[in-house]
Amino acid sequence: MDSISQAALGAALGGVVAGRVYGRAAIIGGAALATLPDLDVVISYGTAIANYTYHRGFSHSLLVLVPVAIILALLLSRRFPDLSRRRWLTFTLLILVTHPLLDTLTTYGTQLFWPLLPPLGTNSIFIIDPLYTLPLLVTIVIGLLRPPAIGALAAGLTISTLYLGWALTAQQVVSQRMAPVLAEEGLSGAPTMIQPMPFNTVLWRVTVIAEDQRLETAVSVFDGLQPPVIERFAYRRDLLNALTEFPEGRRLIWFTGEFLDVHIVANELRATDIRLGASVYVCAGRKGGAGGTVAPGH
């Protein structure tokens, strides 16, 4: 999710775990530690496509973050012995591990088990959702004004977690509503993405990839039995296959699955990430290489 939400989650967790001993410092330290995985944005991997697909990579992997948490806990317990080593381990593990787990609920994708598996993403919550973040921010303010405020911070964490549970439930409601529609279209097994529209968990975007077309519709959890209005767009699978001739084209397919809209523009293959829709990736017209640029999407 966005950096403010991640920092707020880390601050609340830090205050709950270490607030009785370190008060405001535990909240501030938790917020700082929670931003650590996102520092990979300062790394340049050489091209715009590489930067896009390597973000949320090694710095979000549990195979990296768990050892880092253990090392940090050992260092902190020596420097600040007022908190036990086990308590420091709880502090570092909770804050570092919940960061990529929260990111995994979004659409972008998180390489939770880098370098072994491709990105994981449940598409259950928009990358910025005030209803998730506000309870955390309110209780953090309370914690900073009247530390340690363990009860308030715990309440904020409970409310935000319940909201995530609601998001997953709403997504499942939409999935069940779409099942007979897709069956009627003969697309029950087709690649399907159900993601929330911006800043909410009530209205959802449903995208289905067929052999030669892409189906799009918007579904509300309160639509009842009202049939969805489906829009249809051409899907150039032949151009998707052509994208595999380029190293970074293959990287894009690995990163997005089949959710790419590929066109030929000025003798170049241009692939838009359908999931996010805000970036265009350009593969130059020569086999074996593709530099790539990022521009506003359609």
Side-chain angles (χ1 to χ4, degrees):
M1 290 190 74
D2 63 284
S3 297
I4 293 176
S5 298
Q6 292 287 7
L9 175 59
L13 288 170
V16 167
V17 174
R20 293 193 188 280
V21 176
Y22 293 111
R24 295 184 184 90
I27 295 175
I28 296 170
L33 183 59
T35 64
L36 183 63
D38 280 340
L39 292 181
D40 66 332
V41 297
V42 304
I43 301 173
S44 175
Y45 294 97
T47 69
I49 294 175
N51 290 341
Y52 180 73
T53 59
Y54 281 98
H55 176 50
R56 292 192 186 175
F58 75 93
S59 68
H60 286 62
S61 172
L62 297 182
L63 303 180
V64 173
L65 290 178
V66 170
V68 168
I70 294 172
I71 293 170
L72 282 176
L74 292 173
L75 295 174
L76 288 168
S77 64
R78 292 180 181 179
R79 180 66 179 85
F80 304 102
D82 292 338
L83 209 63
S84 69
R85 182 175 297 175
R86 179 176 296 180
R87 200 74 168 172
W88 275 123
L89 183 58
T90 301
F91 181 92
T92 57
L93 267 178
L94 273 178
I95 293 172
L96 288 178
V97 168
T98 54
H99 181 121
L101 291 179
L102 182 60
D103 278 344
T104 302
L105 296 178
T106 66
T107 296
Y108 188 89
T110 305
Q111 297 175 52
L112 205 59
F113 297 102
W114 174 94
L116 303 178
L117 297 176
L120 303 173
T122 67
N123 311 309
S124 305
I125 191 167
F126 192 66
I127 192 170
I128 300 173
D129 194 321
L131 290 180
Y132 172 80
T133 311
L134 280 175
L136 295 172
L137 292 177
V138 169
T139 55
I140 288 167
V141 170
I142 296 173
L144 291 173
L145 293 176
R146 301 180 62 181
I150 305 295
L153 293 168
L157 287 167
T158 300
I159 294 170
S160 63
T161 302
L162 288 174
Y163 182 72
L164 294 179
W166 152 253
L168 290 164
T169 301
Q171 185 182 40
Q172 188 60 32
V173 168
V174 172
S175 176
Q176 292 177 354
R177 185 165 295 163
M178 286 299 299
V181 177
L182 297 182
E184 186 175 341
E185 293 276 347
L187 297 172
S188 294
T192 302
M193 174 181 61
I194 301 174
Q195 60 184 160
M197 293 293 199
F199 316 121
N200 85 108
T201 51
V202 173
L203 186 62
W204 296 73
R205 173 195 179 199
V206 181
T207 306
V208 184
I209 302 297
E211 183 61 31
D212 60 354
Q213 63 179 335
R214 180 177 94 246
L215 283 66
E216 296 265 2
T217 188
V219 179
S220 168
V221 293
F222 301 120
D223 278 345
L225 298 178
Q226 179 178 344
V229 177
I230 297 177
E231 295 184 89
R232 301 171 190 271
F233 305 90
Y235 185 76
R236 296 291 305 273
R237 191 171 294 276
D238 58 327
L239 295 184
L240 183 74
N241 293 334
L243 204 63
T244 62
E245 296 182 6
F246 302 92
E248 291 199 334
R250 293 192 293 271
R251 178 78 183 179
L252 276 176
I253 294 172
W254 171 84
F255 189 73
T256 65
E258 294 188 340
F259 291 94
L260 285 172
D261 185 22
V262 188
H263 296 279
I264 296 178
V265 180
N267 294 319
E268 293 179 334
L269 288 174
R270 297 195 177 188
T272 301
D273 187 342
I274 295 170
R275 307 168 309 157
L276 305 176
S279 298
V280 176
Y281 304 91
V282 182
C283 292
R286 62 184 181 86
K287 187 173 180 179
T293 59
V294 176
H298 46 225

